[in-house]
């Protein structure tokens, strides 16, 4: 009984504690950056900068698209698992809301320190959303196997490791990774798989059974899939250099994603006994086109280069989904 | 019989009549503003203004986010009431479509008169959507208790009073209310509650029974919740001054909303007998973070200030939802 | 058996073949335009152009709205047909992904050739989405009557004819058609009806039976309807001239759409035996307001002119939907 009562207070206390810590750390460390601070107004008269040139106008629309991807896209993507549809959306909301705060701090300490303050602007918000996207990818692997508290703990560690990993890749190894294929998606997927491996070696058969998709859930999952698919060009171009780089990153992603749909459909239909389409394949594989082109999105790939990436990726990821998922139940 | 026939023609005639009145009033009063008028083109050569500096480019993306909040956000928010899911979306659509036209006129007469004409541009569209958002809030309180005609009448009066209230607050009392917490949300909520009180003192038990939420409806309601939550930074910054003010309003709202999710989850779980989460609490309370920071969103709150607002608000609004809703059935 | 196996491989092979052809044609013909090419960077120093003036920043937010209309809007619009809900979304996804690639080529050959290359930028992406929107309109007429392969073939021919039709209207006849009412919607609707007529003269009764809408499907269909309705101002203004034209196109569409909702509700309710609302009417008719104002959207219509267009259109299209649909089953 006492133990039960204990359990009952764990989630509320964890949430409140984490939020109080966030408030204190933000109080000590976080300030606005130059373009969000009211002092901008007085300084711009010296520098002859117009309010219209504020970074906000060049980043905010992309930020909102990324925001939709994280909360609606990743949230609804997993609703195809009928049994977990609602937790998928709800828990994703909780972990993302905590994750973006912790990411603003962690990424700030590594990349945006000025004097002793982290300065935040719209670019930080995009980066925080990127970091949380990686947690959402990992979340897909552990859905239905973890409690909200475990998710918050996982988010805490993953965001921390994400920021360290990002620092090593971008600052120490000087790697270029525009769309974050390495820092976000690969990292997220492996982190998720590792967590699953640690948490669960048993009960796999049970889980498999619950992975059946049903009609209504599939329509909800398509909402997630489509918002991820549509806004991926924004994802890959959101923090590119202004001008032609950002323009090119959007075009390349658009082309790669379109190609990926056709090859995913082809492979999914070829692998089905009756030649039908399995929407779960398509939901997963079509997104691979965006991930694959991510790292190179702002390079001079040429539209046909982007199509080739999407083409190859649609094939590999559908095959991968079919054979590796099957294999993972055997292990 | 005759009476029945009468009833049958009431809705069509009301709609047509209202729309004809709108056409006439628009014909007499409404014209484009400077930046939407073709004369801009000839005048800009004198003033040396580029087409690229048109207000459209700095307001339109935020306008579209607000537009999604009004029609998808508020529309789907109420679908958690299983029985009224469909009317929620449909009636919300009808009242908002009428409301934005009437709001363009009412707000125009108070704030945008030039000579004897109301001049409209993208900023007016945002303001009209804001005004209708207040009707949507009130709609939440009367859903399932009113007919479409009653809703149209309610919309007519509420938009009128909204514009008067806004004029008194902003022009006479010179109050600052960037995100419209006072003019929009508080006004909307009290208006809705007043209408409910007038319309219904009986049948409350019945209504309560119908407020049970079910699985599918909850997923639809999450679509509404998430689009409201995600786009709230656009709502609070849509008509801020250009530059750092608008930038800051978005950052502050983002922070407040994130904090509000965690505290809502904490309180909701603490109040549940078995420590589970009630998604209806979370759907309502998370949005409070956006409302609460609204008035002060463009001020130099600092990110930790915004977090504190969201923190406090998540607690108060969840407690309020649980105890006041319960209380209201007893009264 | 052999024949069955044959069938089984048809869809995969068609998809792969089409995608390989796209890759080759893109390789031979498609390059970035000036504003998406890295050479922009070196040339802008000569021309004294800032990265901030890149076309990307003035077109991309509208592009994303149009993208949502094509994939979520048209996809979910047809989910009111309960039986075909899932194919509606999935097949729409497939045809649109192929269609945008083929449209980039076809429209490129007619309008964007430089030397022997098609140069693509964000404006081409919008145009490709426009072209595919016409296929989505036609798709609505054949849903449930065609296989994925037939859809891909239909898309191939329709995009081809669309580009030819567009070339004749815009380049040879010098017609103005800002929102694409003629090139996109009228063309799409007649193409769809023609295809239906050719494919099916029988089994109409059966189809009719399946057109019943149910509660859950209707809520999904409202997602489609609302995203189409909300983003139509972006659709009609996405490729207008910069400045006041684009601004005006958005305002006019906003006004026309709002008026159309009220008159659709009026007529739908008047035609119903018990004065109730048929959401299918409203879903179809409200969109007519956007289509109707399309051609003239950037002209100096004045807001009341836009309201009148929406007013008339709501009446005609609801009457048309009720009587023509009924009539079509008799023919």
């Amino acid at each position: 009984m006492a133990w039960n009562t204990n359990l009952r207070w764990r989630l509320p206390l964890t949430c409140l504690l984490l939020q109080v810590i966030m408030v204190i750390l933000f109080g000590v460390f976080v300030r606005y950056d130059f373009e969000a601070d009211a002092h901008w107004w007085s300084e711009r008269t010296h520098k002859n900068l117009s309010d219209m040139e504020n970074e906000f106008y060049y980043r905010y629309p992309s930020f909102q698209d990324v925001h939709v991807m994280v909360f609606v896209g990743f949230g609804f993507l997993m609703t195809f698992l009928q049994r977990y549809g609602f937790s998928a959306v709800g828990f994703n909301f909780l972990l993302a809301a905590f994750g973006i705060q912790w990411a603003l701090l962690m990424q700030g300490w590594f990349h945006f320190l000025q004097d002793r303050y982290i300065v935040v602007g719209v670019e930080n918000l995009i980066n925080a959303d990127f970091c949380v996207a990686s947690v959402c990818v990992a979340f897909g692997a552990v859905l239905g196997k973890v409690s909200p508290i475990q998710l918050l703990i996982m988010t805490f560690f993953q965001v921390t490791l994400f920021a360290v990993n990002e620092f090593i890749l971008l600052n120490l190894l000087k790697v270029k990774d525009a769309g974050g294929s390495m820092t976000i998606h690969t990292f997220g997927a492996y982190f998720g798989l590792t967590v699953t491996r640690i948490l669960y070696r048993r009960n796999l058969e049970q889980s498999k059974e619950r992975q059946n998709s049903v009609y209504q859930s599939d329509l909800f999952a398509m909402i997630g899939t489509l918002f991820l698919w549509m806004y991926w060009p924004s994802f890959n171009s959101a923090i590119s250099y202004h001008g032609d780089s950002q323009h090119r990153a959007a075009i390349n992603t658009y082309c790669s994603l379109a190609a990926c749909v056709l090859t995913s459909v082809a492979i999914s239909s070829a692998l089905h006994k009756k030649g039908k389409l399995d929407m779960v394949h398509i939901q997963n594989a079509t997104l691979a086109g965006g991930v694959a082109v991510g790292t190179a999105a702002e390079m001079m790939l040429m539209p046909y280069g982007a199509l080739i990436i999407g083409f190859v990726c649609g094939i590999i990821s559908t095959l991968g989904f079919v054979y590796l998922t099957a294999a993972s139940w055997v292990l």
Side-chain angles (χ1 to χ4, degrees), chain A residues 11-27:
Chain A
L11 181 61
L13 291 177
T14 311
C15 288
L16 286 179
L17 185 69
L18 285 174
Q19 193 55 56
V20 168
I21 294 171
M22 291 299 118
V23 170
I24 294 166
L25 290 175
F26 269 62

Side-chain angles (χ1 to χ4, degrees), chain A residues 176-190:
Chain A
K176 285 283 282 181
D177 189 28
S181 300
M182 278 177 279
T183 52
I184 300 168
H185 305 291
T186 317
F187 177 75
Y190 281 104

Side-chain angles (χ1 to χ4, degrees), chain A residues 13 239 242 276:
Chain A
L13 291 177
I239 53 165
H242 287 307
K276 285 195 178 169

Side-chain angles (χ1 to χ4, degrees), chain A residues 207-219:
Chain A
S207 305
K208 192 184 176 183
E209 194 183 311
R210 285 175 187 166
Q211 288 205 350
N212 295 324
S213 77
V214 292
Y215 183 81
Q216 293 286 2
S217 318
D218 271 345
L219 271 178

